[in-house]
Amino acid sequence: MSALLPPPPPEVQQLLARATRLETPCGDGQMVWHRWSPAPAGKHLPVVLLHGGSGSWTHWLRNIDALVAGGREVLAADLPGFGDSAPPLRGRDADALPEPVEAGLRVLLGDGACVMVGFSFGGMVAGLLAAQFAARAARLVLVAAPGLGLAVRNSITLTAWRHLSDPAERERVHRGNLAALMLHRPEAISALALRLHTDNTLRDRMKGRRLAYTDILARALVKVDCPVHAVYGREDALYRQRQEALAPALQAAPDFRGIHWVEGAGHWVQFEQPAAFDALLLALLETPS
C-alpha cells in the first residue's frame, strides 16, 4: 500500500495475510497481483479478477473467500495505473491494458487458460483481452460491464473532491458519489465502503477515460469464442432505464450464455450483495463449457 495512506482496514489486512503478493513487469515499474490458493489445491482453472475504474483488487474484498472455499485459486490484480501497479507505457484507458495484463498472466500462468471475471472497467479489459488473446480465457464473466454503446455520458453527476481539504467534506462527497453510481441501498454505504472507495480513488492515475461510453466491448465480443456470462445489479444506475438493451448488445459474443440479475444491488453488485453474487458466480463457473 502507498506510504501516503493509513494502514488498510482490518478486513483488507486479514485477507492480505492469507495471500501471496506477486509482481510482473509493467510500464516503468511493476504490476501487482495477489494470489489465494485453496487447501487442498483445487482442480479448477484459476479465476482472474479484474477490478473497476478508480479501483483496486479490493473491489473483490467480499468475494475472494467464497471462491477459495469453493476450491478456486484466485488471482486479483491491481490493473496498470490503479492501486499499487505502475501505469502502462502508453494509453490511459481500457484498450491500453490487455497487453500488460496478458504479459503478467504469461509470467504467472505460462500458457495456461483461466476464467476471467471483470467488473465494470475491468470487464472491458477482460473482454478486450479475451478477444486479443483467445487461448487465455476459458470463460468470461462480465460484471456490470460498460462499453456496450448504452451508457450515456453525463447521465450520472459525480462531484469533484480533490480540491477539498476538510476530511469531513471529502467524506460527504465520496458518500454522495457512491450513492450516485456505485451502491443502491443507503445502508450499503458503510464505513468500509467509504474507506475502500477513498483509498482507491486516491491511487487512480488513469485520468480521462472515455471508452465506457463507446461500444468497444460489444465490438470485441464478436471475437470472443469462449462462454460469456453477464451479471448486473437490478438497480445499476448506468442501466436502470436500458436493461432491455443489454442482452442484444452482449449477444455479439458467439457463445453468450445470458444475463443474470442480482436483486437489491447497484453497480458495485459484488460488494452490495456478496452472498447472492458469490453463489451465482460459483454456479456459473460450474456450468459446462
Side-chain angles (χ1 to χ4, degrees):
M1 294 286 180
S2 169
L4 298 177
L5 296 176
E11 296 90 340
V12 174
Q13 295 187 46
Q14 291 163 12
L15 201 49
L16 285 176
R18 303 195 296 274
T20 302
R21 179 186 168 107
L22 304 163
E23 296 183 351
T24 58
C26 177
D28 292 326
Q30 302 295 317
M31 182 175 173
V32 174
W33 308 72
H34 298 285
R35 171 185 274 153
W36 290 264
S37 298
K43 300 178 181 179
H44 305 288
L45 293 176
V47 177
V48 174
L49 301 177
L50 303 183
H51 62 77
S54 298
S56 75
W57 73 268
T58 62
H59 271 169
W60 305 101
L61 183 70
R62 290 181 161 177
N63 317 109
I64 290 167
D65 277 342
L67 285 166
V68 175
R72 303 282 173 168
E73 177 185 351
V74 175
L75 275 170
D78 278 359
L79 287 168
F82 300 97
D84 290 334
S85 293
L89 284 176
R90 293 170 295 278
R92 288 296 181 268
D93 214 321
D95 57 346
L97 302 194
E99 289 187 1
V101 174
E102 166 60 20
L105 290 172
R106 199 175 308 124
V107 172
L108 300 176
L109 301 179
D111 294 329
C114 63
V115 175
M116 304 203 71
V117 184
F119 165 54
S120 194
F121 175 86
M124 291 195 298
V125 176
L128 293 172
L129 193 153
Q132 189 172 346
F133 304 98
R136 181 62 66 192
R139 188 182 301 271
L140 175 63
V141 182
L142 302 171
V143 181
L148 299 170
L150 301 176
V152 178
R153 193 187 303 274
N154 300 323
S155 62
I156 296 173
T157 301
L158 300 179
T159 303
W161 55 269
R162 290 184 182 273
H163 65 289
L164 300 173
S165 57
D166 179 13
E169 184 65 10
R170 277 195 171 194
E171 178 177 311
R172 184 190 67 80
V173 171
H174 283 312
R175 183 181 293 275
N177 287 343
L178 281 169
L181 174 61
M182 297 290 278
L183 297 167
H184 171 60
R185 296 172 301 120
E187 61 269 28
I189 307 174
S190 60
L192 178 60
L194 279 165
R195 177 63 192 282
L196 297 180
H197 178 72
T198 300
D199 287 358
N200 286 334
T201 54
L202 284 169
R203 298 184 296 165
D204 177 358
R205 285 141 289 147
M206 299 284 281
K207 303 304 180 185
R209 301 186 299 274
R210 294 291 182 268
L211 289 176
Y213 298 102
T214 73
D215 64 348
I216 188 171
L217 176 59
R219 287 184 283 113
L221 289 176
V222 175
K223 302 177 183 178
V224 175
D225 56 11
C226 68
V228 176
H229 308 268
V231 178
Y232 287 84
R234 180 67 74 180
E235 305 298 333
D236 191 326
L238 286 176
Y239 300 107
R240 195 174 291 131
Q241 308 302 323
R242 294 176 289 278
Q243 292 181 357
E244 72 287 345
L246 280 168
L250 290 160
Q251 284 168 356
D255 195 3
F256 178 56
R257 302 291 181 94
I259 295 180
H260 304 267
W261 298 97
V262 177
E263 302 297 332
H267 189 61
W268 194 4
V269 53
Q270 74 272 25
F271 184 89
E272 187 161 9
Q273 295 288 0
F277 177 87
D278 294 343
L280 173 59
L281 179 57
L282 285 167
L284 294 179
L285 298 187
E286 293 292 341
T287 58
S289 297

